[in-house]
Amino acid sequence: MTVAERRSLATYAVEQHGLSERRACRLLGISRSVYRYRPRKKDTDELIADWLQVLAERKPRWGFSKMFHWLRHQGHPWNHKRVRRVYREIGLNIRIKPKKRLPSREPQPLVQPERANECWSVDFMSDALVTGRAFRTFNVIDDFNREALWIEVDTSLPAERVIRVFEMLATWRGYPRQIRSDNGPEFLAGKVALWAEKHGVELAFIQPGKPAQNAYIERFNRTYREEVLDFYLFENLAEVRQITEQWLEEYIAIRPHDALGGLAPYAYAAARVNRR
């Protein structure tokens, strides 16, 4: 039996059967102070908190200043010190995430290398399965002949996974002289920088908001998007990987490229070797 139920029975015993308050409380096992307690109206702080919670739900981007002025315009007399205290106590402080300061980037001209492994271009893409589950791809191409070296597919591709892809490619191609990328967090991670320094690889970052400075991989991304990601409905990651692998084989061995004089990447590389 709850305290509220015992209080109710004690009241009934006093009013209907003429028991004394002391006797009714003793029989029901509650103190007289509990019996006499009457719920009070919400105090001012609780009322302020209720109003602030309502405003926070309706206007999630409003800060303290806008909420306080709105309350004053509605005729509430509370001063700003009291409202601010309650505002903080209920945890409505909106924390503004500071913008990450990036080092200044000096754009380098986008010049097609004279040989393989001079420069790799890398980038991430995003898509989703038919179930709505999101996944990402990590694309790597060689700028020399636009050869797509690898497309890694998974739901999460942190810096450690990026390094693993680079090491895998290096086992059969060697390390590149340079890797060009945007300013994504995976590339800015200290682990990637340490890996690059260890193997003598230069990390060339484009300027923020200037995707044209990484035009080779951007053009590749567009083709991959149109011919694979937007062309199929994927049931699972295994299907994404299978279709991507089949498409890559055709892309590097058969598909003509206007930028390569109508040759596929493999054929272009072979022609350049024979020309020397």
Side-chain angles (χ1 to χ4, degrees):
M1 185 182 300
T2 66
V3 173
E5 290 173 340
R6 293 181 182 184
R7 287 179 58 249
S8 179
L9 287 175
T11 301
Y12 176 81
V14 171
E15 295 177 355
Q16 300 297 325
H17 297 281
L19 269 67
S20 67
E21 181 182 292
R22 186 187 304 275
R23 181 176 174 80
C25 289
R26 186 170 62 250
L27 289 174
L28 291 165
I30 58 175
S31 66
R32 295 175 69 188
S33 60
V34 171
Y35 171 76
R36 292 179 178 179
Y37 174 78
R38 294 295 179 268
R40 295 178 301 173
K41 292 184 178 179
K42 291 184 178 179
D43 62 25
T44 305
D45 282 1
E46 293 179 30
L47 186 58
I48 295 174
D50 287 346
W51 272 110
L52 292 175
Q53 292 284 10
V54 170
L55 286 174
E57 293 175 2
R58 294 179 180 176
K59 305 292 183 182
R61 295 307 304 167
W62 276 17
F64 167 79
S65 180
K66 284 186 174 60
M67 290 186 179
F68 173 71
H69 288 302
W70 188 90
L71 291 173
R72 293 304 293 266
H73 293 329
Q74 298 303 309
H76 299 293
W78 312 308
N79 65 48
H80 73 282
K81 291 183 180 179
R82 187 170 195 175
V83 177
R84 184 181 292 275
R85 174 174 55 79
V86 176
Y87 179 84
R88 289 175 174 172
E89 287 175 354
I90 61 178
L92 291 181
N93 305 58
I94 297 178
R95 297 183 179 181
I96 301 176
K97 186 177 181 181
K99 293 183 178 180
K100 183 180 293 185
R101 293 185 177 273
L102 298 174
S104 58
R105 308 297 192 192
E106 295 185 3
Q108 301 178 3
L110 196 62
V111 178
Q112 183 176 359
E114 291 295 322
R115 60 183 63 86
N117 273 15
E118 282 291 303
C119 182
W120 294 354
S121 290
V122 298
D123 199 9
F124 287 92
M125 298 181 70
S126 300
D127 210 314
L129 305 175
V130 293
T131 59
R133 186 183 185 187
F135 67 87
R136 305 181 75 197
T137 73
F138 176 52
N139 307 343
V140 186
I141 69 170
D142 192 317
D143 290 356
F144 164 64
N145 62 337
R146 313 298 200 278
E147 179 183 352
L149 305 181
W150 193 257
I151 296 181
E152 187 79 354
V153 178
D154 215 327
T155 54
S156 177
L157 296 170
E160 295 83 358
R161 192 71 170 272
V162 169
I163 294 174
R164 194 189 312 170
V165 170
F166 288 154
E167 285 292 342
M168 177 197 65
L169 294 174
T171 58
W172 58 278
R173 289 186 63 91
Y175 294 100
R177 184 185 65 81
Q178 181 185 84
I179 294 178
R180 182 187 292 110
S181 72
D182 60 18
N183 295 273
E186 299 85 0
F187 305 131
L188 295 176
K191 295 180 180 180
V192 175
L194 290 174
W195 172 87
E197 182 179 0
K198 176 181 178 181
H199 299 289
V201 178
E202 176 190 354
L203 296 180
F205 295 100
I206 66 174
Q207 291 177 307
K210 302 286 186 179
Q213 295 176 8
N214 206 8
Y216 293 152
I217 191 71
E218 291 292 339
R219 182 63 184 87
F220 173 81
N221 290 348
R222 175 184 168 185
T223 303
Y224 179 53
R225 172 74 65 186
E226 293 175 346
E227 299 187 3
V228 178
L229 297 182
D230 288 350
F231 197 78
Y232 295 93
L233 294 176
F234 302 106
E235 297 287 343
N236 49 58
L237 292 180
E239 188 176 19
V240 181
R241 296 186 181 109
Q242 178 184 2
I243 293 176
T244 295
E245 184 178 349
Q246 294 172 351
W247 178 81
L248 278 179
E249 292 177 357
E250 179 181 336
Y251 183 89
I252 60 182
I254 300 175
R255 189 181 189 279
H257 291 251
D258 293 339
L260 304 179
L263 298 176
Y266 278 172
Y268 177 83
R272 289 294 298 270
V273 169
N274 294 333
R275 193 182 305 171
R276 293 172 184 171

